[in-house]
Amino acid sequence: MPTHPSEWLMTTLLRIDASARVTRSLSRMLGDLFIAEWQANESTIELIHRDVGIEPPPAISEDWIAAAFTPAAERSEQQHDALTLSDTLIEELEQADVLVIATPMYNYGMPAALKAWVDQVVRINRTFSFDLARGDRPLEPILGGKTLVVLTASGEFGFGPGEFNEQAGHLLPHLRSISGYLGARDIHHVGIEYQEFGDTRFAASRDTAQAQVADLARTLARR
């Protein structure tokens, strides 16, 4: 067992911010709190920050799809160029032990910028393989061993299991559905609700989420 700090393994966190707001963003606030609390418990970490809210990746195109499905050795220079950003985003994901996605819910689902990031990184022969010999489950994740932390903010409320807005909340279910292709099986979620109401319920939800985020960061950092 390592006895000296130089022998400890450094944790790499990849933080994805998806809010279009730079100020007054609740999801960014939760992301800041999570990272700060983690650093308070593990001072030496590697943090990779990708802010798709400020710099959204482009939507994939027909040329992008053709390049992705062409074997690497057979790609043209233009096809390699088309995948340059995708390669960079996947390399960031590959390095991460913990993936922290801080995102608002827009129109009951992912912000377009976050969906664009997902489409750039969920890619054949990089983050998943495809083999029809597997029958009706031909896709298989390539990455693994990561922890996914999802920090959300929504204007409405009641998106949890059995709650009255459950069928309208597509953000968290979508992220859970593709989490395997991001290399994560261990998933944690903390969210703020009632933002658009701005009443005591919102204040209570915000305060509870802040406490939960701090506790989650401490727990994960001490593992």
Side-chain angles (χ1 to χ4, degrees):
M1 181 176 180
T3 58
H4 189 276
S6 64
E7 297 175 294
W8 296 344
L9 294 176
M10 184 185 301
T11 305
T12 299
L13 284 76
L14 170 59
R15 173 180 175 177
I16 307 293
D17 275 301
S19 178
R21 288 177 170 171
V22 177
T23 59
R24 300 181 301 111
S25 168
L26 294 173
S27 62
R28 289 180 185 274
M29 179 269 291
L30 291 180
D32 290 344
L33 176 59
F34 183 88
I35 298 299
E37 192 64 39
W38 192 298
Q39 290 176 317
N41 288 272
E42 183 186 354
S43 58
T44 304
I45 66 169
E46 181 171 357
L47 177 62
I48 304 170
H49 189 197
R50 175 65 60 170
D51 197 326
V52 301
I54 294 177
E55 296 185 27
I60 62 173
S61 64
E62 183 174 5
D63 289 342
W64 187 100
I65 294 171
F69 279 85
T70 299
E74 300 175 17
R75 288 179 191 140
S76 66
E77 182 177 350
Q78 290 76 15
Q79 287 179 320
H80 281 292
D81 290 344
L83 297 175
T84 297
L85 176 59
S86 175
D87 288 336
T88 297
L89 298 179
I90 291 170
E91 287 164 5
E92 291 175 350
L93 178 61
E94 288 172 334
Q95 294 176 60
D97 302 301
V98 181
L99 171 60
V100 182
I101 298 179
T103 179
M105 178 188 289
Y106 286 165
N107 300 313
Y108 305 105
M110 285 188 196
L114 180 57
K115 181 58 165 61
W117 177 85
V118 168
D119 289 343
Q120 290 279 350
V121 300
V122 179
R123 191 174 122 198
I124 191 167
N125 295 328
R126 288 300 306 269
T127 53
F128 73 91
S129 61
F130 184 91
D131 187 351
L132 288 174
R134 299 183 187 126
D136 290 341
R137 298 285 187 180
L139 283 76
E140 187 172 282
I142 292 174
L143 305 181
K146 303 181 188 301
T147 296
L148 171 61
V149 174
V150 183
L151 308 175
T152 65
S154 55
E156 296 181 59
F157 65 98
F159 297 103
E163 297 181 359
F164 83 102
N165 255 335
E166 178 183 5
Q167 299 304 315
H170 304 289
L171 172 58
L172 190 59
H174 195 165
L175 287 170
R176 288 187 183 279
S177 294
I178 55 100
S179 61
Y181 306 119
L182 303 178
R185 293 295 181 201
D186 186 17
I187 306 171
H188 304 269
H189 169 244
V190 178
I192 298 174
E193 297 184 321
Y194 301 98
Q195 182 176 6
E196 295 305 323
F197 294 85
D199 53 17
T200 56
R201 296 172 300 174
F202 164 65
S205 179
R206 180 194 58 208
D207 293 347
T208 298
Q210 288 176 303
Q212 290 175 339
V213 164
D215 184 62
L216 177 61
R218 285 192 296 269
T219 300
L220 294 178
R222 291 171 182 173
R223 283 185 177 179

